[in-house]
Amino acid sequence: MQRSKNQRQMPNSKYQRSITYSPEIDGLRAIAVISVIIYHLKIGSTGSYFLPGGFLGVDLFFVISGYLITKILLAELDASGRISITKFYWRRARRILPALLFVIIIFIPIAWIILLPSEIEIFAHSLLASLLFYANIFWLETQSAYGAQSALLQPFLHIWSLAVEEQFYIVFPLFLAFLHRRSWVGFAIPVLIVLGLIFAYTTTLWKPNLSFYSPTSRAWEMLVGSLMGWLSLRSNRFGKSLTDKRLLPTVGIIIILWSIVTFRFSEIVHPGLATAPLILGVFLVIWFAEPREPVTRLLSTRPFVWIGLRSYALYLWHFPIFAFGRHLNALPEPLEKATWIALTFAMATFSYRFVEEPFRRRVTKLTFAGFGSAIAACVIGFTITVSINQGFPNRFPQLQALYGKNEFDNEVLRDLSWSILDNLAGEEKIETWNAHAPSQNEQNNLWYPDTDQIKILIVGNSHSKDLFNALYLNSDHFPDQAFAHFGMESSFPAKQRELLYDAPNFQAADIVLISSKYYEATVENLPGFITQLRDLGKRVVLAGNTAEFSLIGNMPIFDWYIRREGKNVSLSDLGTIAHQHENVETHKQSELVKDIAEEMDIQFLDRRMLVCNDADGVCDLITKGGWKALYDYGHWTIDGARYFGQRASELDWLSPVLSEVPQLRGQLSTN
């Protein structure tokens, strides 16, 4: 996101073109930042938002950055034969840090007022990640966690792109100097572009989240800009002899707009081959730009240039404004979104005029260093203090009064739901990752006591953890059974199956109870998995999906209802509302699982019946003791698990399974 207004002619340059300000570049920046802003605004209904490819604006920024910075570095190399790394990073610091630090310091008190304890802890660490430019790594880890909060609610998530750039520029200047000395730039960069594109494509297919945040998957985009920068100084005539060259910027802008308007992130392999048309479009617009050419003239007009000059500020401000806006109202009306836009432009204009420009041109190094050090110290102190005090939960006395004995921070309840498995694992730390993979304790240790109890192994994702908690916490109601757990992805992949089959708990188990969240794409894997389990001598039981509920304004129904009604909460009304907002798609998947159970002649357990009573038209979101039973759309809290486990005992929920196997140890035949 670098911008250059350097109009100097480098002395004794062998290159053919001076580094001059190109207003159409700011015009392209305007398209990029407006696309990103509209994309994050989420205009429209779920699944059909306006400008679904607006996220590609970030990739456009990457190309522009590579183009401008390479021109500056090559001109310096040609003039002096070397690159001053100190000056390069000093220029980058002046360009990037003042506005970023200003935005951070403005939003710290806002976060203090709005964010819940678990949220402000993540926020504080994200500030540190932003300052040290490892935000992409931080958000890769944070957002990849099972049950992570929506990305739209993370105020500084967008700084991942700045981190990617800075990580690229840690090595690029030295690498460019090495290539320049050997006159390899024109050969090496095209080769690296091709290799980088292939790498990005394959990495996206393998691990899309990793690829999205990885500088190695984005490097080829910046290198395309670098190639243009080299060509513009080395060979101004490349491709310019085409008779229809003046049409090519039009072709380029059409490709860019087509990509932004039509691409859907969930439907393309990005970054990768699907990104290539956009990058080609940027190349055509920049390389074939001419003052009299229509697209160049359009991009050079005052509105485009005005926005482009403030594109960095707009990019910095829009996402935290939108995120905090959604924290205040998860279902914003059009007028609220218009207010977000107006505030974004107002703050961007202010920070551009009074922060960016002065620090880039007039503020002394000493003042800059003092300003940066002071704010950095504040951020570090804030992060440490928030972490030590676990987000200061006492900041919300009104919520505490409203919720009473219940916890208002669902992230706390989520983490607590893993505490039983964590306690059983000893020194091994069990967290949400265990939702999709087995722990070492599950792989290597035998949990069952040396008794004649029927040994039941519960396997699956996080929903298997909920069922394990429910039965384990009610062990006194199930004296003839012993329970263990094994975490697996919902697709039950082959590698995890092998780990399962080698586990002592599996080898000792009499019954394997599969309890997962089933998806249409993964249900088809069940028959093969069941067949393997049977071949290994295990009795298999399938538990269907639990009841799941639509979130209202990004909040579980209990939280939405209690905050709306305050002290006038009616428990009977809450159960009815929950029943009305149950996710019907979950039923469909359970029916598919039930059909598989019937076809393969194995027992099916309806887990939904532990939560919902269709005869009365209610679903229990709280226990009889008034404790919150769910912490999100369908996962059970510790209190909820204890409550639903008691209900399983009252309903003899396991009896259909156990009554069919009296031969197991002869245990039940005597009951």
Side-chain angles (χ1 to χ4, degrees):
M1 303 175 189
Q2 181 75 13
R3 176 168 62 254
S4 174
K5 283 192 175 182
N6 187 354
Q7 296 181 317
R8 293 178 298 157
Q9 173 72 48
M10 288 297 177
N12 301 319
S13 177
K14 68 180 179 182
Y15 296 119
Q16 300 174 6
R17 195 173 170 190
S18 62
I19 301 178
T20 58
Y21 171 62
S22 302
E24 71 275 6
I25 299 296
D26 276 321
L28 278 176
R29 281 202 184 95
I31 292 176
V33 76
I34 293 300
S35 300
V36 171
I37 287 173
I38 293 176
Y39 175 74
H40 289 146
L41 202 59
K42 301 299 181 186
I43 300 172
S45 58
T46 303
S48 59
Y49 295 119
F50 181 59
L51 290 192
F55 60 89
L56 293 170
V58 172
D59 303 271
L60 202 162
F61 276 128
F62 286 152
V63 180
I64 293 172
S65 175
Y67 171 65
L68 295 175
I69 287 183
T70 300
K71 288 178 70 173
I72 294 172
L73 292 175
L74 284 175
E76 183 179 352
L77 278 168
D78 187 54
S80 63
R82 60 185 295 273
I83 292 174
S84 173
I85 297 299
T86 303
K87 289 182 179 179
F88 172 76
Y89 287 124
W90 182 248
R91 290 194 302 267
R92 291 294 294 171
R94 278 186 176 271
R95 172 72 180 99
I96 298 297
L97 287 178
L100 175 61
L101 292 170
F102 181 62
V103 171
I104 285 174
I105 208 68
I106 290 296
F107 281 107
I108 284 178
I110 296 174
W112 180 263
I113 296 171
I114 294 176
L115 298 185
L116 297 180
S118 62
E119 294 169 341
I120 202 168
E121 285 193 75
I122 294 175
F123 173 82
H125 287 288
S126 76
L127 298 186
L128 196 59
S130 298
L131 279 185
L132 299 179
F133 293 108
Y134 67 92
N136 57 326
I137 301 170
F138 174 81
W139 289 117
L140 170 63
E141 180 180 351
T142 302
Q143 292 304 113
S144 295
Y146 188 78
Q149 190 178 49
S150 168
L152 294 175
L153 297 174
Q154 306 292 1
F156 281 86
L157 183 139
H158 64 317
I159 304 301
W160 72 266
S161 63
L162 291 181
V164 166
E165 274 197 28
E166 297 314 305
Q167 289 161 17
F168 177 80
Y169 290 127
I170 288 175
V171 299
F172 181 70
L174 296 175
F175 179 68
L176 185 65
F178 172 80
L179 295 179
H180 182 267
R181 283 196 297 271
R182 289 159 177 78
S183 299
W184 290 353
V185 177
F187 167 76
I189 290 183
V191 171
L192 289 174
I193 290 171
V194 174
L195 294 177
L197 176 56
I198 294 172
F199 180 86
Y201 176 73
T202 54
T203 305
T204 302
L205 291 177
W206 172 52
K207 285 193 175 181
N209 283 352
L210 172 63
S211 187
F212 183 87
Y213 291 107
S214 171
T216 52
S217 290
R218 305 285 185 161
W220 71 275
E221 299 173 359
M222 286 176 273
L223 287 172
V224 168
S226 297
L227 180 62
M228 281 194 293
W230 179 80
L231 288 171
S232 68
L233 296 173
R234 184 65 173 173
S235 179
N236 189 35
R237 296 184 299 275
F238 175 77
K240 302 294 182 69
S241 60
L242 295 172
T243 56
D244 57 351
K245 62 183 180 181
R246 293 188 64 180
L247 293 176
L248 293 179
T250 301
V251 174
I253 202 69
I254 290 173
I255 293 174
I256 292 171
L257 296 178
W258 171 77
S259 300
I260 291 170
V261 170
T262 64
F263 280 19
R264 297 182 183 278
F265 186 79
S266 60
E267 298 174 359
I268 64 172
V269 181
H270 169 81
L273 295 177
T275 323
L278 174 91
I279 306 305
L280 174 62
V282 179
F283 180 92
L284 294 176
V285 171
I286 293 177
W287 185 250
F288 293 99
E290 292 183 359
R292 292 175 294 175
E293 184 274 318
V295 170
T296 305
R297 290 206 311 269
L298 176 64
L299 294 176
S300 301
T301 55
R302 185 178 296 273
F304 278 95
V305 171
W306 190 91
I307 294 174
L309 289 171
R310 293 155 182 79
S311 59
Y312 176 56
L314 289 166
Y315 185 80
L316 285 181
W317 283 99
H318 87 281
F319 205 85
I321 288 174
F322 292 8
F324 282 113
R326 287 188 170 95
H327 274 284
L328 294 174
N329 184 1
L331 298 173
E333 298 293 332
L335 182 59
E336 290 175 272
K337 291 185 177 182
T339 303
W340 298 353
I341 292 290
L343 187 58
T344 296
F345 272 83
M347 294 307 299
T349 301
F350 178 87
S351 66
Y352 174 76
R353 173 68 177 82
F354 295 104
V355 179
E356 274 192 72
E357 287 295 284
F359 273 91
R360 287 182 66 196
R361 304 183 186 283
R362 296 188 294 275
V363 170
T364 65
K365 289 184 178 181
L366 183 61
T367 302
F368 174 78
F371 170 81
S373 299
I375 294 185
C378 289
V379 171
I380 293 171
F382 174 74
T383 302
I384 294 173
T385 304
V386 165
S387 297
I388 291 175
N389 291 277
Q390 299 179 321
F392 292 95
N394 293 329
R395 288 179 295 123
F396 299 97
Q398 291 181 334
L399 278 182
Q400 288 177 323
L402 185 62
Y403 277 72
K405 61 185 180 182
N406 274 297
E407 172 61 57
F408 59 83
D409 191 338
N410 286 310
E411 302 292 311
V412 173
L413 294 174
R414 179 201 65 189
D415 294 342
L416 187 62
S417 74
W418 291 96
S419 63
I420 295 175
L421 291 174
D422 185 47
N423 291 335
L424 290 172
E427 295 183 359
E428 184 182 10
K429 181 63 177 175
I430 305 299
E431 296 175 313
T432 54
W433 61 265
N434 193 209
H436 288 156
S439 66
Q440 291 298 315
N441 184 39
E442 292 167 348
Q443 293 179 54
N444 302 322
N445 298 330
L446 181 65
W447 297 13
Y448 301 117
D450 186 17
T451 66
D452 288 334
Q453 291 173 301
I454 293 176
K455 299 173 177 59
I456 301 176
L457 178 61
I458 303 171
V459 304
N461 61 16
S462 58
H463 293 272
S464 70
K465 170 263 298 179
D466 290 345
L467 183 57
F468 172 80
N469 286 348
L471 299 176
Y472 182 85
L473 288 169
N474 287 278
S475 296
D476 56 328
H477 294 293
F478 302 98
D480 296 321
Q481 294 86 48
F483 305 99
H485 177 263
F486 195 92
M488 298 185 75
E489 292 183 24
S490 57
S491 60
F492 307 106
K495 289 184 178 180
Q496 289 187 351
R497 294 187 197 183
E498 294 303 318
L499 294 175
L500 170 66
Y501 303 153
D502 290 336
N505 283 333
F506 175 81
Q507 294 171 3
D510 302 305
I511 297 174
V512 175
L513 173 54
I514 302 174
S515 177
S516 194
K517 177 178 171 61
Y518 304 102
Y519 302 89
E520 186 174 355
T522 58
V523 166
E524 61 187 22
N525 295 333
L526 272 175
F529 184 36
I530 293 169
T531 299
Q532 286 185 347
L533 293 171
R534 280 175 154 179
D535 291 344
L536 291 169
K538 300 303 176 184
R539 179 169 182 82
V540 183
V541 178
L542 282 177
N545 281 329
T546 185
E548 297 181 6
F549 306 92
S550 301
L551 300 180
I552 303 179
N554 285 327
M555 282 192 289
I557 293 175
F558 175 90
D559 299 89
W560 166 80
Y561 183 68
I562 197 171
R563 295 190 192 192
R564 188 190 73 171
E565 298 296 323
K567 294 295 184 180
N568 301 316
V569 173
S570 169
L571 303 186
S572 59
D573 287 349
L574 178 59
T576 303
I577 292 172
H579 194 271
Q580 294 169 349
H581 283 82
E582 191 179 359
N583 187 349
V584 295
E585 187 63 29
T586 306
H587 289 305
K588 296 179 182 179
Q589 307 311 323
S590 277
E591 288 301 315
L592 292 176
V593 174
K594 186 176 182 180
D595 290 342
I596 291 173
E598 291 177 355
E599 291 171 5
M600 302 191 72
D601 192 26
I602 62 176
Q603 189 67 45
F604 174 82
L605 295 176
D606 183 1
R607 194 148 64 99
R608 177 182 173 274
M609 68 182 296
L610 302 178
V611 181
C612 294
N613 184 333
D614 290 332
D616 296 335
V618 297
C619 296
D620 289 338
L621 299 188
I622 55 175
T623 71
K624 289 182 179 179
W627 296 98
K628 188 189 297 187
L630 275 65
Y631 60 79
D632 59 9
Y633 66 90
H635 288 98
W636 300 346
T637 64
I638 287 291
D639 293 300
R642 182 179 290 107
Y643 176 63
F644 296 132
Q646 291 172 356
R647 179 166 291 174
S649 173
E650 294 167 1
L651 296 174
D652 288 329
W653 190 66
L654 287 177
S655 61
V657 177
L658 303 175
S659 62
E660 295 180 5
V661 287
Q663 67 275 21
L664 291 177
R665 311 275 199 277
Q667 178 70 21
L668 292 180
S669 61
T670 61
N671 292 345

